[in-house]
Each structure stands twice: as C-alpha cells, then as structure tokens.
Amino acid sequence: PRPHPPFRGASTPGSTAFPDRVSGSSRRTDVLCDGSETDVSDIQADLVVIGFGKGGKTLALTLGRQGKRVVMIERSNQMYGGTCINIGCVPTKSMVFAAEEALSHPRDPEMYTAAVHRTAELTASLREQNYAMLDSIPGVDVLTGTATFLDAHTVSVQTDDGVVTVEGHHIVVGTGSEP
C-alpha cells in the first residue's frame, strides 16, 4: 500500500508539511539538545487511541462519528487494522486455505508463491480499508509514529516528519498482541 502521511491532510506521503486545517492544533520548531531542529505540532483531542487494532479502531470510529476529536496513533503503517488482519488470523487462514487447495493439485512451487502474493494483497487491501474508514471521518486523525507518555493526558509522537505532542482528555492504550 501507499505510505500514509503521519496524519490526515498532509500534502503528499513523506511531506514535511503539517496541515493547518487540523482543528485544535498548532505548529512550532524546537531545538533538540544536540542543536538540531525538529518540527513539533500540538494537537488537542477528546480521545487519543494508541494502537490501530480492532478495539481502538471501533472506539475511534464510534466517538469520531459522534463528533468527538480523536487522534489514532499507530507505530507502523503496516499494522493499520491490528494483529488479526496483518500478521495473525487473516494471513494464517489465507495460507491454510491455499495449502488445502494445493493438496488437490500436482506439486507446483508457483502455487506457494502465488498464495504468498495473494495473502499480501489481501492484507494490504484490508489495511487500506481500515485507514480509509478513519480517514473519512472529520475530526479523526491518524498519526503514524511511536507514542511516549509525557504525563497522564499527554503523549509525544515521533513521526517521520517530526514530533507531534497530543493532549487528550482520555487516552486508551490498545497495543494488541504478538503472534
């Protein structure tokens, strides 16, 4: 899938521009202890969700549709949708199905290659659908980066484009599982 900007509205993937239209946000440049500068954006939200799995996505969708300001944070654009669709249930079932199909055919190494490609296409499509679901709701933004708590209501998110500080009335941690 195409790489996603750190949050909805950036001009192009990998762009260093933060969207000005994100409500409740501001932008500044901070100087780090090594003397380098980094872009910092501040966002105010009703809800911050860390982890783009089934539970976090459902909560973000529900509250976003109710008009709440929601920020979803996921450390990898390869994990939009969570463990199940990316590295758990869905790819496992896809490969098991392909293996069962292969039993009724003569041995063909290309069948395995094709099964791996079909599985990768399936998970990529599901990631895109999950991202699009949240991206389509005004007031819901997706940040791709690593979140670190600064206090009980504030996280710092290191994205490819800089640091985003997000303050939320509520923060939900739904970082999922590992297979």
Side-chain angles (χ1 to χ4, degrees):
R2 67 177 170 78
H4 295 292
F7 55 86
R8 184 166 52 88
S11 56
T12 59
S15 168
T16 57
F18 288 99
D20 294 327
R21 66 179 182 77
V22 176
S23 59
S25 68
S26 62
R27 182 176 176 205
R28 69 178 189 277
T29 300
D30 280 357
V31 178
L32 302 178
C33 57
D34 66 1
S36 63
E37 292 185 354
T38 185
D39 283 330
V40 178
S41 181
D42 295 321
I43 301 174
Q44 302 286 319
D46 297 307
L47 174 68
V48 177
V49 180
I50 303 171
F52 198 152
K54 175 64 176 155
K57 175 188 70 180
T58 301
L59 182 59
L61 279 169
T62 300
L63 292 180
R65 287 178 178 150
Q66 292 174 5
K68 301 291 184 186
R69 175 80 169 97
V70 180
V71 176
M72 167 66 75
I73 303 166
E74 175 56 57
R75 70 178 161 185
S76 169
N77 64 4
Q78 296 300 299
M79 289 300 290
Y80 295 158
T83 298
C84 182
I85 70 162
N86 290 293
I87 57 175
C89 314
V90 172
T92 299
K93 289 177 181 179
S94 175
M95 292 301 292
V96 167
F97 178 78
E100 289 171 348
E101 291 259 308
L103 291 175
S104 62
H105 295 86
R107 285 194 160 204
D108 180 3
E110 292 302 314
M111 286 186 78
Y112 174 76
T113 302
V116 169
H117 288 298
R118 277 193 311 275
T119 298
E121 289 171 1
L122 174 63
T123 57
S125 173
L126 291 171
R127 266 192 306 278
E128 281 289 322
Q129 291 172 38
N130 275 274
Y131 180 83
M133 238 185 288
L134 287 183
D135 190 49
S136 68
I137 300 173
V140 176
D141 289 299
V142 177
L143 283 87
T144 302
T146 303
T148 304
F149 276 89
L150 299 178
D151 62 41
H153 294 280
T154 311
V155 293
S156 171
V157 183
Q158 180 62 56
T159 71
D160 287 344
D161 293 327
V163 177
V164 180
T165 301
V166 184
E167 184 178 336
H169 187 71
H170 299 283
I171 297 178
V172 174
V173 178
T175 54
S177 63
E178 293 192 25

